[in-house]
Amino acid sequence: MDVLSDLLQRAQATDALVRQIIASEPWSVTYADVPSLSVVATLGGNACLRLDDGVPRMLAAGDIALITGVGSYMIADDPETPPSYVIRGGRKHTAGGEPVEWREYLAPRTYGDGLPGATTMVRGAYDLRGGAGERVLALLPQLAVVSATPNTRPALDLLTTEIAREEPGQDAVLRRLLDFVLVLALRAWCAEVQLPSWYQALSAQGVGDALRLMHEDPARRWSVAELAAEAGLSRATFAARFSKLVGQPPLTYLTNWRMTLAADRLRTTTDTVATVAREVGYEDPFAFSVAFKRIYNQPPTTWRTA
């Protein structure tokens, strides 16, 4: 498994919400208490997206917006349209804060009026977790807009088709399609901007192979010589290239990744510290605790209950 896929798999909670809106002008919806990552795409028509900072951003048909690290955002037909309602905690509220019942069901997971000329939007939400989630989020600003491309449009069309269906296993289908759209959008965004060094290193000869191996088997007792051999490089060349591209030596990266995995396991399972230590390559729980405290400034038991 490649490194980005590994991070996405480890970071995502098991539930991802997917909904569709089909609304005619004027319309405006505000999402409050939003999760760590939202995927918003315009399927038909145009829309305006505005974050907490109040700066509007127009979305054309086929555009995908990735939203992170904000308390709320608004989607509307026009920047001047006042909020029609607010979604908070999965419930619909009036702009004044009064809870109201949904009455605009058009199909499963689909809301709005469905009138001719309406704008069609799809929204997916993830609650990324732990250190793996932080690495994914570090790739993105608060708002990353990916313009429509021949690669993304078919994926959005398929997601739109599946949203309105209600068959066994439908939630699993939608989750995978949303993952697909997310990966395509991340690829497109990452191709255009300056990224963290570890991401740039994924496609580098030898270094990318070593990163993949460390993510596939973090508990293995890797040595620099073994990683260099797997990468088809001399030990010195591999170590120098890895350090330059990733920003830290190979075994330092491996230790940090192991501690990221361990920190997430401590928070999400009831496994003992010794068990978690073995899972990330430490037979000695004391040595693991020392390494963990060096990075997180507290022992594993304290981290787990913090």
Side-chain angles (χ1 to χ4, degrees), residues 145-218:
V145 176
V146 176
S147 299
T149 71
N151 289 332
T152 57
R153 188 66 207 217
L156 291 175
D157 290 341
L158 182 57
L159 180 60
T160 304
T161 300
E162 292 295 330
I163 285 175
R165 301 177 67 178
E166 193 64 275
E167 298 183 11
Q170 197 65 19
D171 286 338
V173 170
L174 291 173
R175 169 58 187 274
R176 284 161 177 77
L177 287 175
L178 182 61
D179 289 349
F180 184 34
V181 170
L182 173 61
V183 170
L184 291 177
L186 282 172
R187 282 180 183 170
W189 173 257
C190 291
E192 297 178 359
V193 299
Q194 184 69 28
L195 296 165
S197 55
W198 67 264
Y199 185 89
Q200 298 179 60
L202 297 182
S203 58
Q205 181 182 3
V207 175
D209 295 331
L211 285 168
R212 176 181 55 80
L213 290 169
M214 286 189 276
H215 278 253
E216 286 180 349
D217 192 2

Side-chain angles (χ1 to χ4, degrees), residues 135 214 218 220 222 227 242 248-263 280 282 287-288 290-296:
R135 292 195 182 204
M214 286 189 276
R220 179 170 167 175
W222 292 106
L227 291 168
F242 191 102
Q248 52 190 205
L251 298 189
T252 300
Y253 177 91
L254 177 60
T255 298
N256 289 336
W257 176 236
R258 285 171 168 174
M259 294 305 109
T260 296
L261 297 178
V280 297
Y282 287 80
F288 165 74
V290 170
F292 189 93
K293 187 175 182 180
R294 185 182 306 122
I295 292 175
Y296 287 94

Side-chain angles (χ1 to χ4, degrees), residues 18-22 40-47 59-64 110 118-123 148 152-163 181:
V18 185
R19 295 291 184 267
Q20 182 174 224
I21 303 171
I22 304 176
V40 175
T42 309
L43 305 175
N46 298 299
L59 301 178
D63 289 353
I64 302 172
T110 302
T119 296
T120 303
M121 306 284 302
V122 63
R123 173 182 177 266
T152 57
R153 188 66 207 217
L156 291 175
D157 290 341
L158 182 57
L159 180 60
T160 304
T161 300
E162 292 295 330
I163 285 175
V181 170

Side-chain angles (χ1 to χ4, degrees), residues 22-285:
I22 304 176
S24 55
E25 301 178 1
W27 62 273
S28 173
V29 54
T30 297
Y31 293 92
D33 304 327
V34 295
S36 55
L37 174 61
S38 297
V39 182
V40 175
T42 309
L43 305 175
N46 298 299
C48 172
L49 177 63
R50 188 164 63 203
L51 306 186
D52 295 333
D53 60 12
V55 178
R57 178 68 183 265
M58 299 304 298
L59 301 178
D63 289 353
I64 302 172
L66 304 178
I67 306 166
T68 68
V70 299
S72 66
Y73 59 88
M74 183 195 76
I75 310 172
D77 67 296
D78 186 270
E80 302 303 320
T81 302
S84 304
Y85 56 89
V86 179
I87 307 300
R88 180 180 291 107
R91 295 285 307 278
K92 179 181 178 182
H93 298 76
T94 66
E98 296 296 323
V100 293
E101 295 297 322
W102 287 103
R103 299 183 183 277
E104 306 90 353
Y105 290 102
L106 299 175
R109 309 172 190 84
T110 302
Y111 307 92
D113 51 44
L115 297 175
T119 296
T120 303
M121 306 284 302
V122 63
R123 173 182 177 266
Y126 294 97
D127 193 8
L128 301 189
R129 62 190 179 194
E134 290 174 359
R135 292 195 182 204
V136 175
L137 295 175
L139 293 172
L140 298 166
Q142 285 190 327
L143 175 61
V145 176
V146 176
S147 299
T149 71
N151 289 332
T152 57
R153 188 66 207 217
L156 291 175
D157 290 341
L158 182 57
L159 180 60
T160 304
T161 300
E162 292 295 330
I163 285 175
R165 301 177 67 178
E166 193 64 275
E167 298 183 11
Q170 197 65 19
D171 286 338
V173 170
L174 291 173
R175 169 58 187 274
R176 284 161 177 77
L177 287 175
L178 182 61
D179 289 349
F180 184 34
V181 170
L182 173 61
V183 170
L184 291 177
L186 282 172
R187 282 180 183 170
W189 173 257
C190 291
E192 297 178 359
V193 299
Q194 184 69 28
L195 296 165
S197 55
W198 67 264
Y199 185 89
Q200 298 179 60
L202 297 182
S203 58
Q205 181 182 3
V207 175
D209 295 331
L211 285 168
R212 176 181 55 80
L213 290 169
M214 286 189 276
H215 278 253
E216 286 180 349
D217 192 2
R220 179 170 167 175
R221 293 179 176 275
W222 292 106
S223 68
V224 175
E226 285 178 310
L227 291 168
E230 293 283 356
L233 299 170
S234 71
R235 186 184 186 283
T237 299
F238 167 73
R241 183 177 296 177
F242 191 102
S243 298
K244 179 180 178 180
L245 294 177
V246 180
Q248 52 190 205
L251 298 189
T252 300
Y253 177 91
L254 177 60
T255 298
N256 289 336
W257 176 236
R258 285 171 168 174
M259 294 305 109
T260 296
L261 297 178
D264 290 351
R265 292 288 292 172
L266 289 166
R267 287 274 176 86
T268 59
T269 74
T270 58
D271 292 345
T272 65
V273 171
T275 298
V276 173
R278 286 193 297 271
E279 288 177 350
V280 297
Y282 287 80
E283 291 298 327
D284 181 0

Side-chain angles (χ1 to χ4, degrees), residues 3-11 132 135-136 198 215 257:
V3 176
L4 182 57
S5 297
D6 185 37
L7 286 174
L8 289 169
Q9 179 174 304
R10 294 180 186 278
R135 292 195 182 204
V136 175
W198 67 264
H215 278 253
W257 176 236

